[in-house]
């Protein structure tokens, strides 16, 4: 023992926490993503996809006449920006679900980043299969004769 301090001479150093970055740096990535998404929504809100010539046609629809899960997404976003939720759901219900899922996930990300906590989104196989199956079912139903109510 060291007579001066009373601590053993070969004591391990005290554990130190790494310094947390400042709040602005922790929120930079979530803020950047939000700015990009808000910019995209603002553009789609200003440039009406219902008017021809502003956006490219869906390649699957152009080649086959079938609606993909994303068909109607721009019209849905345009209606959503203008507060027409029923119109947005009619144009692409899966898109509206994706907008809401993004809002929830972004909020969780921003809150965890602000608190300095890591963000982990660990989805197992089952949720991914369920999501993929739901999108496939949505795609098939909207292309059947009785699926007219969910066509764009």
């Amino acid at each position: 023992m060291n007579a001066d301090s009373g601590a053993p001479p070969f004591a391990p150093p005290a554990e130190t926490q790494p310094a947390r970055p400042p709040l602005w740096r922790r929120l930079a990535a979530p803020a950047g993503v939000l700015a990009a998404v808000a910019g995209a929504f603002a553009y789609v809100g200003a440039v009406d996809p219902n008017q021809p010539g502003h956006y490219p046609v869906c390649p699957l629809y152009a080649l086959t006449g079938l609606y993909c899960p994303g068909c109607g997404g721009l019209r849905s976003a345009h209606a959503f920006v203008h507060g027409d939720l029923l119109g947005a759901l009619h144009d692409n219900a899966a898109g509206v679900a994706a907008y809401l899922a993004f809002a929830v996930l972004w909020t969780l990300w921003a809150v965890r980043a602000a608190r300095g906590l890591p963000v982990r989104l660990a989805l197992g196989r089952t949720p991914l299969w369920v999501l993929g199956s739901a999108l496939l079912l949505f795609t098939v139903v909207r292309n059947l004769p009785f699926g007219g109510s969910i066509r764009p």
Side-chain angles (χ1 to χ4, degrees):
M1 284 211 132
N2 189 348
D4 296 339
S5 66
F10 299 107
E15 301 253 348
T16 59
Q17 294 279 346
R20 278 188 358 182
L23 181 63
W24 69 268
R25 178 171 256 164
R26 293 190 311 256
L27 290 177
V33 169
L34 182 62
V37 170
F41 269 89
Y43 180 79
V44 172
V47 181
D48 190 357
N50 294 306
Q51 302 300 320
H54 294 293
Y55 299 99
V57 177
C58 173
L60 180 68
Y61 183 75
L63 293 173
T64 65
L66 296 174
Y67 297 109
C68 75
C71 280
L74 290 172
R75 289 186 296 275
S76 174
H78 182 78
F80 191 80
V81 166
H82 289 276
D84 181 10
L85 185 58
L86 291 177
L89 284 167
H90 177 267
D91 287 332
N92 193 323
V96 175
Y99 311 150
L100 299 176
F102 171 80
V104 168
L105 292 174
W106 183 88
T107 302
L108 292 173
W109 179 26
V111 167
R112 290 188 66 83
R115 292 180 179 171
L117 300 172
V119 178
R120 292 186 182 99
L121 181 62
L123 292 177
R125 288 183 178 177
T126 303
L128 293 176
W129 276 103
V130 168
L131 178 62
S133 299
L135 283 175
L136 180 63
L137 181 65
F138 175 72
T139 304
V140 169
V141 168
R142 74 189 320 204
N143 285 292
L144 293 175
F146 60 85
S149 63
I150 59 172
R151 285 191 196 122

